[in-house]
Amino acid sequence: MDRDREAEREDRIANDIINDFEAEFHEGLKESKRVDIYNTEHLENQKRRDLETLKQAWINEKMVPTILPYEEELMKRMFERIRKQLEFIEMNNVELQTQEKDIKLILVLIESELERIQFMIRSYVRLRLRKIDKYALYIQEHEEEKDKLNNDEITYMEGHLSMQHGLFEEQFLKKMNLTRRGNLGEDKEMVVIPDKSFPVITSAIRDTYVSNASINEGSVYVAQWQEVSQGIAAGDLKIL
Amino acid sequence: MTDIPTLSANEVAFLAEQEEVFVLSRHSLPAIHMIGPTIPRMQALQRHKIPLWSAIILKRQRKCNIVTPEWLSIEVLRRAVSLERRNPASLLTPEQLNLPQLWPAMARMLLQNAHDDLIDSPHEIRAALHDLQELRDLKIHRMLRTGTQNLYGLSHFEVAQLRPLLLRQINLLLKLNEGDNDENENGTGIDNGINDGGFDNHDNNDDNLNNDPFDSYPSNEEHKAFGSSDGPFNSLTTSPPPFPNDSTLIEENPTKRRRMGGNTAPPPESDSDSDNDIEFRR
């Protein structure tokens, strides 16, 4: 009698443990699914934001007279995603015959998108290089401008400057018995500096002020770059 | 002079292709992971929201129909025209007219690639688009004559179109305000400003210009061609056309102006679409 009760009790305990375990397991499964969904949503939002940021960075670099800080993190993520897409294309090209028939269409879509993204990145990089070429001497002289470049761009700029310097030396400065100390010499006034007063066209994301003029949300406002640069950085204004 | 940054016609079209539209799939496709947002799994006869460029690819392959956006209808466009007419003093924003920022570029691509999916007849839509564009152009030109910095209501497309002109004009005005005394420094700039067509004498802007030194400077015929020093993009179709001459600007009703025919200035947006449209009307 006692033994029976004992066994019953043990059974119950065992059942409880099993139930607890199962409940926990299902809970955990749900949890991990939720995390998965959360992660994909998170990634999806990030991709959307990144595309938007890239587009805006490209437009900004185009319209603003000075060089802007390099979008280091964004570019890293973009290059990583481009690499993944290239891998995907590579893999599916090999197995083209056996794969499902839609693979061709999918590849067309993926390749077109790749082209579009690469176009924006290329244009972005080229616009920066053009500004670096133009304002090299100015950028070299100012640390805060130099901080806006990435390492490759600094290498490029220094290489370009030293080649240019060498060429000028070789071609005429030596013959005229003139030597310049470094790239600058004494002709500071001849350094090309970006025209910070050049106007840019902006649209107001919320009600704001630009040098004492109040601007309503949604307005399109033209003003000198130096006047609006803070508003852009604060996210009150967007360059069109 | 500093070179003026521009968005070329192709670049504006590129941006318009980035906008999303609804498509009605005729074919099932698995979800496609992209660099940008994923293209969702497609099932036949269901609506999906995808970027315009991918919609056009699928449309060309006959894998989907593009759902005509609400704004690309005669009703919305005609209402926009009448709204603009009722507010002669100010330009309305694209949002107030229920239009996307790059509406002319998007409309053009949809008309080209998905004309069979449109609900209203493409010809009528083209005509309505044309009317709206002309009316807005007229208002914009009036607004620019005042030399204002606040261009309320301009859409992104119109900004791209007018950028070279606008930046030159404003740059000049701002520099003049800055250094009123220093005439030598600004001399060449003023010449350019006059010749780029921003400041011909006209009743509307006489008041604003009376105090400015423009009148006393001679204009130089050589520079009359608009955007002649615009850099690599001036050969493309978007570099804005020269200002229409004054008589066309006074004209109240823009639709009349087009039908008057030969001797008036060409409509500012003379792309292939609008050409077809004129021929159709004849």
Side-chain angles (χ1 to χ4, degrees):
Chain A
M1 194 63 180
D2 265 1
R3 206 184 277 162
D4 278 0
R5 213 179 282 157
E6 189 77 359
E8 210 175 281
R9 211 165 62 104
E10 271 175 18
D11 268 2
R12 230 184 13 240
I13 291 172
N15 273 337
D16 278 356
I17 291 174
I18 290 169
N19 283 342
D20 274 0
F21 179 77
E22 276 182 351
E24 248 172 63
F25 175 76
H26 285 296
E27 195 58 33
L29 204 66
K30 260 192 233 158
E31 187 63 30
S32 74
K33 255 188 200 157
R34 219 175 298 147
V35 169
D36 260 10
I37 291 170
Y38 173 78
N39 275 344
T40 32
E41 252 174 42
H42 182 72
L43 182 68
E44 205 49 29
N45 287 339
Q46 195 194 35
K47 278 177 167 182
R48 196 173 281 274
R49 261 203 319 275
D50 281 352
L51 192 64
E52 195 54 37
T53 322
L54 177 65
K55 183 179 107 185
Q56 197 57 48
W58 171 56
I59 293 179
N60 290 359
E61 205 62 64
K62 218 175 165 81
M63 299 308 163
V64 169
T66 60
I67 194 145
L68 298 166
Y70 182 70
E71 296 275 356
E72 184 99 48
E73 290 302 313
L74 172 72
M75 287 302 158
K76 253 192 220 157
R77 285 199 295 274
M78 280 296 168
F79 287 137
E80 174 61 23
R81 280 177 211 151
I82 288 175
R83 197 184 54 76
K84 270 191 195 149
Q85 294 299 71
L86 287 173
E87 264 172 24
F88 181 87
I89 293 172
E90 194 71 19
M91 257 170 54
N92 285 287
N93 260 344
V94 180
E95 303 157 17
L96 197 55
Q97 292 86 352
T98 53
Q99 278 285 333
E100 46 185 317
K101 59 183 188 310
D102 282 334
I103 195 72
K104 249 186 174 162
L105 185 59
I106 293 170
L107 283 177
V108 167
L109 285 170
I110 285 181
E111 279 169 22
S112 316
E113 198 212 17
L114 202 62
E115 282 297 316
R116 293 174 62 84
I117 304 272
Q118 283 180 329
F119 163 75
M120 269 199 278
I121 293 180
R122 246 182 255 135
S123 181
Y124 174 73
V125 172
R126 286 215 176 111
L127 284 166
R128 291 181 63 85
L129 288 183
R130 217 168 96 185
K131 281 185 194 171
I132 292 170
D133 275 355
K134 197 165 169 188
Y135 304 125
L137 291 173
Y138 171 79
I139 294 171
Q140 205 186 28
E141 289 295 296
H142 294 80
E143 273 307 314
E144 77 272 12
E145 295 291 314
K146 224 172 168 176
D147 287 344
K148 293 178 185 168
L149 309 191
N150 68 7
N151 290 337
D152 291 342
E153 285 168 340
I154 289 179
T155 320
Y156 168 81
M157 183 184 78
E158 278 163 1
H160 183 216
L161 275 179
S162 77
M163 272 165 67
Q164 197 187 36
H165 185 221
L167 178 74
F168 287 173
E169 273 313 297
E170 244 353 271
Q171 289 296 314
F172 46 87
L173 291 176
K174 230 160 57 184
K175 287 167 196 156
M176 292 193 289
N177 278 333
L178 289 170
T179 39
R180 296 192 299 170
R181 268 176 279 123
N183 270 305
L184 267 183
E186 274 121 39
D187 309 326
K188 285 232 159 139
E189 282 182 8
M190 290 179 72
V191 175
V192 185
I193 57 167
D195 179 9
K196 283 185 189 158
S197 67
F198 195 78
V200 290
I201 308 174
T202 60
S203 88
I205 293 170
R206 44 182 161 260
D207 293 358
T208 179
Y209 289 90
V210 173
S211 44
N212 299 327
S214 85
I215 298 160
N216 297 333
E217 184 190 331
S219 279
V220 175
Y221 192 75
V222 192
Q224 299 188 335
W225 165 238
Q226 57 199 1
E227 290 175 330
V228 293
S229 56
Q230 275 187 332
I232 302 274
D236 295 335
L237 296 164
K238 188 178 108 177
I239 293 177
L240 287 182
Chain B
M1 205 171 187
T2 333
D3 37 325
I4 312 258
T6 50
L7 273 181
S8 73
N10 293 337
E11 286 165 335
V12 172
F14 177 87
L15 292 177
E17 280 170 353
Q18 202 98 306
E19 299 297 319
E20 287 182 322
V21 291
F22 278 107
V23 294
L24 202 60
S25 181
R26 292 158 102 188
H27 190 85
S28 331
L29 265 184
I32 311 174
H33 295 284
M34 306 293 254
I35 298 171
T38 306
I39 291 183
R41 197 165 73 90
M42 301 238 193
Q43 278 169 324
L45 296 177
Q46 278 193 8
R47 268 170 161 240
H48 304 281
K49 202 177 188 186
I50 59 175
L52 184 54
W53 63 265
S54 53
I56 289 174
I57 291 178
L58 290 172
K59 170 79 188 166
R60 282 189 187 150
Q61 307 261 339
R62 293 163 200 275
K63 304 285 187 207
C64 78
N65 291 90
I66 296 176
V67 180
T68 312
E70 237 168 76
W71 57 268
L72 195 63
S73 65
I74 294 184
E75 194 196 327
V76 173
L77 293 172
R78 290 222 174 117
R79 203 169 45 103
V81 170
S82 70
L83 278 175
E84 288 283 11
R85 286 232 173 90
R86 250 179 278 155
N87 291 283
S90 64
L91 193 69
L92 297 171
T93 62
E95 284 78 22
Q96 283 165 335
L97 302 175
N98 279 329
L99 296 172
Q101 284 288 330
L102 295 167
W103 57 276
M106 286 179 77
R108 198 170 155 191
M109 261 180 287
L110 287 167
L111 281 165
Q112 251 172 27
N113 293 292
H115 48 89
D116 50 336
D117 288 342
L118 295 173
I119 297 163
D120 300 320
S121 105
H123 294 304
E124 280 182 80
I125 287 181
R126 281 204 179 100
L129 279 169
H130 200 123
D131 284 350
L132 182 58
Q133 257 179 313
E134 286 215 334
L135 187 56
R136 280 180 69 86
D137 281 344
L138 191 81
K139 281 177 142 187
I140 291 167
H141 286 168
R142 284 228 180 98
M143 181 163 74
L144 292 186
R145 283 171 172 274
T146 64
T148 173
Q149 277 179 268
N150 197 339
L151 306 167
Y152 185 78
L154 225 60
S155 73
H156 196 176
F157 183 86
E158 287 148 350
V159 167
Q161 225 182 1
L162 289 168
R163 190 185 317 272
L165 166 77
L166 201 61
L167 289 184
R168 217 173 289 192
Q169 173 182 342
I170 302 268
N171 189 23
L172 185 66
L173 279 177
L174 293 175
K175 290 229 159 102
L176 281 171
N177 289 345
E178 239 172 45
D180 265 340
N181 310 325
D182 201 347
E183 282 184 15
N184 287 341
E185 206 181 284
N186 289 323
T188 49
I190 288 165
D191 265 356
N192 281 335
I194 284 180
N195 297 326
D196 290 334
F199 304 103
D200 25 0
N201 282 330
H202 185 265
D203 317 355
N204 287 351
N205 57 3
D206 268 353
D207 295 350
N208 301 310
L209 292 180
N210 268 346
N211 302 328
D212 283 332
F214 294 121
D215 299 331
S216 55
Y217 279 86
S219 66
N220 182 350
E221 287 299 324
E222 276 174 35
H223 292 261
K224 210 117 205 172
F226 182 84
S228 51
S229 57
D230 250 33
F233 294 125
N234 60 340
S235 57
L236 287 164
T237 43
T238 35
S239 55
F243 264 126
N245 48 38
D246 282 354
S247 60
T248 55
L249 273 172
I250 300 168
E251 191 77 62
E252 273 305 327
N253 189 343
T255 49
K256 267 186 194 161
R257 182 175 129 208
R258 173 153 28 90
R259 290 174 195 135
M260 268 159 45
N263 53 352
T264 47
E269 254 298 274
S270 53
D271 51 33
S272 57
D273 282 345
S274 44
D275 288 343
N276 293 343
D277 168 39
I278 288 170
E279 266 163 32
F280 169 70
R281 281 171 169 251
R282 279 174 192 156

